[in-house]
Amino acid sequence: MRDFRSKFLDVFQVLKSELFDDPAFELIDFSRQWVDNTFTLELKNYIEDHQNPGGTLNRRFSVLDCYKFLKEGKELTDDELFLASALQCCINWLQAFFLELDDILDKPHTRQDQDCWFKDPKVCMFAANNGVILRQRIPRVLRKHFRDKKYYVDLLHLFDQVEFQTAGGQMNNLLITLEDEKDLSKYSSDLYGRIVHYKTANYSFYLPVACALLMSGEKLEDHLDTKSILMDMGKYLQVQIEYHDCFGDPQSGKTGTDIEDFKCSWLVVKALELCNDEQKKVLYENYGKQDPVCVATVKQLYNELNLQGVFAEYECQNYESLIISIEACPSAAVQVLLKSLLAEVYKRQN
């Protein structure tokens, strides 16, 4: 995909300046500095994700890249470049909003090998307000720059629906890990699929493509098959992340805590499906414990069940299924776009 980073950075600075000059709220010196730091951190995350192959993958699926595919090689105008970059900013802010709240609720120590921002003693729960500030930029940017577009109402509905569904997915994810609610018997492929569908795939895969489709003059209701494919890709990426967090190279510094945190992960769901009674007893006794010995016991059980082989089979079958679905899409441009996104994900190692 073509690198549109420089254009995005220019637009990012324009939108940040608009916030500082927004007549709805006059920032005083120290609040201006605080907001500036927030946006500087978000911009730093964006740049690192594009430079680092192990960064947040969906940030590299920009609206600009998707829109370029849909334009089938036609040169983008300055207005198109600006609008697509502005929508990407909105997606990044929505993601940052969710991640900041997610970190506060889940209480992890790190995200992408960096200390979570709320762990900074100068930040703490102010991170929640920062997330709200980022989230509130979205409708203001859409109103200022897209109000005269035919797809303006569709954009508002799209962001509203994705936010609502993601929040619902996060609610389900949190409720099943509450101390009083921990019960492995609740975990199933259906529950896992529902959580990932709403919590991750919507904003990570579907949203940038949907924005690009609307900019191209398409109606989202005409691309329900495309949405289904993107949601399946989002699930595949989440499964892949969980797999590498468990079985990846320890030297990479990326170690997940799904076992300790009693997460409804793809791995534990598969383990429950494959366990005999004795193995299931071991899993019940050790899953969700902070004790490193318990974590090691669960990982040993995963190895006994050959979950690495199960994942390899899932990966190949999922890829073949996605290719078949993509090639059934009536739009050649959409096919090229979806195959490019899938190529970014397939057999990703970090």
Side-chain angles (χ1 to χ4, degrees), residues 99-111 115-119 125 170 173-174 177-178 257 260-261 263 290:
L99 292 183
E100 289 200 25
L101 295 186
D102 186 59
D103 285 346
I104 292 170
L105 292 167
D106 278 354
K107 297 181 175 62
H109 296 292
T110 62
R111 182 174 289 280
D115 288 340
C116 290
W117 198 38
F118 82 95
K119 304 289 285 186
M125 293 302 104
Q170 173 67 334
N173 187 53
L174 289 168
T177 58
L178 289 175
T257 58
E260 297 95 315
D261 297 337
K263 289 298 179 66
Q290 296 296 320

Side-chain angles (χ1 to χ4, degrees), residues 50-317:
H50 278 67
Q51 292 175 337
N52 172 21
T56 305
L57 186 66
N58 62 283
R59 288 189 193 242
R60 299 205 298 278
F61 298 160
S62 75
V63 179
L64 267 171
D65 290 322
C66 296
Y67 185 64
K68 182 69 174 179
F69 273 109
L70 297 177
K71 294 286 286 187
E72 298 184 88
K74 296 177 183 177
E75 196 67 27
L76 304 188
T77 67
D78 288 342
D79 184 55
E80 289 174 320
L81 287 168
F82 182 92
L83 294 177
S85 296
L87 288 175
Q88 187 58 43
C89 285
C90 291
I91 292 174
N92 285 5
W93 294 331
L94 182 64
Q95 182 188 47
F97 164 64
F98 279 125
L99 292 183
E100 289 200 25
L101 295 186
D102 186 59
D103 285 346
I104 292 170
L105 292 167
D106 278 354
K107 297 181 175 62
H109 296 292
T110 62
R111 182 174 289 280
Q112 292 187 20
D113 307 326
Q114 301 292 324
D115 288 340
C116 290
W117 198 38
F118 82 95
K119 304 289 285 186
D120 185 330
K122 294 181 180 179
V123 179
C124 300
M125 293 302 104
F126 280 114
N129 190 70
N130 270 44
V132 173
I133 291 291
L134 290 169
R135 186 295 181 213
Q136 286 301 315
R137 286 301 296 145
I138 298 170
R140 304 189 76 76
V141 167
L142 296 182
R143 183 163 58 248
K144 182 176 179 64
H145 296 287
F146 294 88
R147 186 165 42 186
D148 63 340
K149 305 299 180 185
K150 292 181 180 179
Y151 54 88
Y152 173 59
V153 174
D154 292 323
L155 269 181
L156 291 177
H157 175 69
L158 173 64
F159 274 90
D160 179 69
Q161 179 140 317
V162 168
E163 181 179 356
F164 175 66
Q165 291 177 326
T166 305
Q170 173 67 334
M171 177 180 66
N172 288 339
N173 187 53
L174 289 168
L175 287 174
I176 60 173
T177 58
L178 289 175
E179 192 62 39
D180 294 340
E181 299 296 325
K182 289 183 177 180
D183 181 0
L184 272 181
S185 67
K186 295 180 181 178
Y187 287 7
S188 65
S189 293
D190 179 67
L191 175 62
Y192 177 77
R194 286 173 181 270
I195 290 172
V196 174
H197 180 94
Y198 291 115
K199 181 177 182 285
T200 305
N202 249 311
Y203 80 80
S204 63
F205 269 75
Y206 176 59
L207 185 53
V209 176
C211 286
L213 285 168
L214 289 175
M215 278 191 63
S216 302
E218 298 287 331
K219 291 291 186 182
L220 296 183
E221 55 265 31
D222 295 333
H223 290 274
L224 297 180
D225 289 343
T226 300
K227 179 177 182 179
S228 178
I229 293 168
L230 289 164
M231 300 302 277
D232 287 342
M233 280 193 206
K235 178 183 177 182
Y236 167 46
L237 176 61
Q238 184 61 37
V239 171
Q240 191 183 70
I241 289 170
E242 293 168 2
Y243 173 82
H244 287 302
D245 280 351
C246 181
F247 291 110
D249 181 3
Q251 300 301 318
S252 70
K254 296 181 68 176
T255 305
T257 58
D258 287 352
I259 295 172
E260 297 95 315
D261 297 337
F262 203 79
K263 289 298 179 66
C264 181
S265 73
W266 182 85
L267 291 169
V268 76
V269 166
K270 285 298 171 185
L272 287 166
E273 292 175 358
L274 297 170
C275 278
N276 59 35
D277 290 342
E278 184 178 340
Q279 291 169 325
K280 188 171 291 187
K281 183 174 183 292
V282 171
L283 191 59
Y284 271 67
E285 290 175 349
N286 290 277
Y287 198 76
K289 305 289 179 60
Q290 296 296 320
D291 185 347
V293 175
C294 294
V295 174
T297 300
V298 173
K299 288 186 177 182
Q300 181 180 345
L301 177 59
Y302 285 174
N303 284 320
E304 290 176 11
L305 296 170
N306 189 30
L307 290 192
Q308 296 187 58
V310 175
F311 171 77
E313 183 178 359
Y314 161 81
E315 189 168 43
C316 289
Q317 291 178 350

